[in-house]
């Protein structure tokens, strides 16, 4: 069952310029319904936006004995204060926009490039975050509230 916390916030937003390309941090970004983040390399499909939970990231990297910038996870949005575990099919509100969680984002081999053992450490219990489909057009900003909308 999801460990629901009342409200979180957007901590960081990243746009991926190209496949395997750099992650550019933004203060603000535009979500496009059915597509994802405007300007992001991944558009449409099931994984329109990827989300990472700040507290879970810090817990896992701390356990491995290293501080690793969450940008290395290559997710689009870092949130705090809200648990993503077991949230498949739930609706998440970021500012004025809604996303439907599609499932858990499993980590790839690039995580071990950031820190040896990180891929395996992120594998269980939604440690790698979640992916979602965008339900509404609109802008999101760093600091916007994040809540469950279902």
């Amino acid at each position: 069952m999801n460990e629901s916390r009342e409200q979180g916030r957007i901590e960081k937003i990243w746009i991926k310029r190209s496949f395997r390309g750099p992650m550019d941090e933004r203060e603000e970004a535009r979500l496009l319904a059915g597509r994802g983040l405007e300007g992001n390399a991944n558009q449409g499909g099931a994984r329109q936006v990827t989300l990472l939970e700040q507290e879970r990231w810090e817990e896992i990297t701390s356990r491995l004995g290293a501080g690793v910038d969450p940008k290395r996870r290559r997710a689009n949005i870092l949130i705090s204060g809200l648990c993503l575990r077991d949230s498949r099919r739930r609706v998440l509100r970021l500012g004025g926009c809604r996303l439907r969680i599609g499932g858990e984002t499993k980590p790839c081999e690039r995580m071990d490039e950031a820190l040896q053992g990180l891929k395996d450490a992120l594998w269980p219990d939604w440690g790698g975050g979640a992916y979602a489909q965008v339900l509404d057009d609109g802008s999101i900003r760093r600091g916007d509230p994040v809540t469950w909308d279902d």
Side-chain angles (χ1 to χ4, degrees), residues 128-143:
Y131 63 89
Q133 296 86 41
V134 179
L135 302 177
D136 304 307
D137 288 342
S139 293
I140 56 170
R141 293 187 55 77
R142 189 172 165 185

Side-chain angles (χ1 to χ4, degrees), residues 66-122:
V68 179
D69 187 334
K71 177 180 182 177
R72 299 294 300 268
R73 176 61 190 102
R74 304 185 57 73
N76 296 120
I77 301 170
L78 179 69
I79 65 167
S80 66
L82 207 69
C83 182
L84 294 170
R85 186 175 24 208
D86 298 325
S87 59
R88 183 174 279 114
R89 291 185 289 280
R90 292 191 75 189
V91 175
L92 186 66
R93 182 173 292 277
L94 282 73
C97 298
R98 295 172 306 134
L99 308 176
R100 181 174 311 284
I101 303 295
E104 178 180 7
T105 305
K106 288 296 191 181
C108 68
E109 66 282 347
R110 298 209 55 197
M111 295 305 94
D112 284 342
E113 294 171 15
L115 177 64
Q116 193 58 44
L118 185 56
K119 177 184 174 191
D120 289 342
L122 290 171

Side-chain angles (χ1 to χ4, degrees), residues 3-19:
E3 296 170 17
S4 186
R5 291 174 235 150
E6 292 302 313
Q7 182 172 311
R9 64 178 252 143
I10 297 174
E11 297 295 336
K12 304 263 186 182
I13 302 168
W14 295 286
I15 304 290
K16 181 171 53 172
R17 283 185 240 166
S18 61
F19 177 72

